[in-house]
């Protein structure tokens, strides 16, 4: 696990079209060391897909749906955490990461469709991963890797039923 307690808040999720991307936001967050994902929508399909991966591949990542984003942000701040909103309109990541890193409890907001303007004011940091439009998955991955100073690729996942044995060729697993 990381030095940071990092949790994702996914807003704007539309179950009819965002299920795959939101699941990949959660899986990326888990693989790169975040503790869990709050989903500001109702989608048991996403919750179940992520729970299935956690069962097989280990670790303790949580996914909670039906979260109200305003109270989620308020509660997070009240518990001493800071809020980072990933947006191409923000301050470029390399120019802000040193200021963010000393905070141990970080809520990372990523959008799907247009994000409510209020979020920009509620966030402690509005952070761009380049000032070009791309994706919540790529921006989250780069943010988590910079937060962990490039050490996000080697987390342990205790309790896994299956583990990959890295190989130069072919597929090797144990468990
Ligand atoms: N069209 C939407 C809008 O104008 O707000 C943005 C949609 S974008 C596909 C979905 C999410 O990806 C954004 O809410 C943001 O969290 C993230 N994202 C996309 N490009 C980004 C960038 N360059 N830096 C940081 N986050 C980015």
């Amino acid at each position: 696990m990381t030095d940071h307690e990092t949790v994702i808040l996914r807003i704007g999720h539309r179950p009819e079209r965002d299920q795959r991307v939101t699941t990949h936001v959660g899986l990326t967050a888990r693989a790169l060391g975040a503790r869990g994902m709050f989903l500001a929508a109702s989608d048991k399909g996403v919750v179940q897909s992520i729970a299935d991966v956690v069962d097989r591949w280990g670790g303790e990542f949580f996914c909670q749906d039906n979260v109200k984003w305003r109270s989620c942000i308020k509660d997070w701040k009240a518990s001493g955490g800071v809020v980072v909103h990933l947006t191409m309109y923000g301050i470029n990541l390399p120019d802000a990461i040193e200021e963010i890193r000393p905070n141990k409890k970080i809520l990372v907001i990523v959008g799907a469709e247009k994000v409510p303007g209020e979020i920009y004011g509620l966030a402690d940091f509005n952070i761009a991963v380049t000032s070009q439009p791309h994706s919540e998955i790529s921006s989250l991955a780069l943010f988590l890797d910079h937060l962990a100073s490039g050490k996000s690729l080697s987390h342990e996942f205790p309790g896994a039923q299956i583990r990959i044995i890295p190989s130069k060729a072919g597929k090797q697993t144990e468990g």
Side-chain angles (χ1 to χ4, degrees), residues 10-165:
R10 166 67 156 165
I11 61 174
H13 170 85
R14 298 151 293 186
E16 64 289 356
R17 58 177 288 185
D18 293 326
Q19 213 170 41
R20 188 161 182 275
V21 174
T22 299
T23 302
H24 286 188
V25 167
L27 295 183
T28 299
R30 172 186 170 273
L32 300 185
R35 306 287 167 94
M37 178 170 75
F38 295 124
L39 177 55
S42 172
D43 197 328
K44 296 296 175 223
V46 171
V47 173
Q48 191 56 53
S49 298
I50 291 174
D52 289 346
V53 170
V54 173
D55 276 354
R56 296 182 66 217
W57 293 90
E60 292 191 348
F61 191 85
F62 73 84
C63 179
Q64 182 185 337
D65 72 339
N66 282 318
V67 166
K68 306 269 182 249
W69 60 261
R70 276 192 195 82
S71 47
C72 180
I73 293 169
K74 190 169 159 237
D75 294 349
W76 187 268
K77 287 183 161 189
S79 71
V82 298
V83 175
V84 172
H85 169 219
L86 297 182
T87 166
M88 65 179 174
Y89 301 103
I91 303 297
N92 203 21
L93 179 58
D95 299 327
I97 194 64
E98 305 295 340
E99 196 185 338
I100 296 171
R101 201 178 284 119
N103 297 285
K104 293 302 170 204
K105 207 176 152 174
I106 302 175
L107 184 70
V108 185
I109 303 177
V110 293
E113 54 178 355
K114 198 171 180 345
V115 168
E118 198 181 335
I119 295 281
Y120 291 79
L122 291 172
D124 297 294
F125 301 93
N126 288 290
I127 298 299
V129 181
T130 78
S131 300
Q132 301 297 317
H134 49 97
S135 147
E136 48 275 55
I137 301 170
S138 50
S139 52
L140 178 63
L142 281 160
F143 175 77
L144 292 175
D145 193 53
H146 278 61
L147 182 66
S149 307
K151 294 181 190 141
S152 71
L153 305 184
S154 49
H155 294 295
E156 301 286 329
F157 293 88
Q161 294 171 22
I162 181 168
R163 258 188 214 92
I164 288 173
I165 303 164

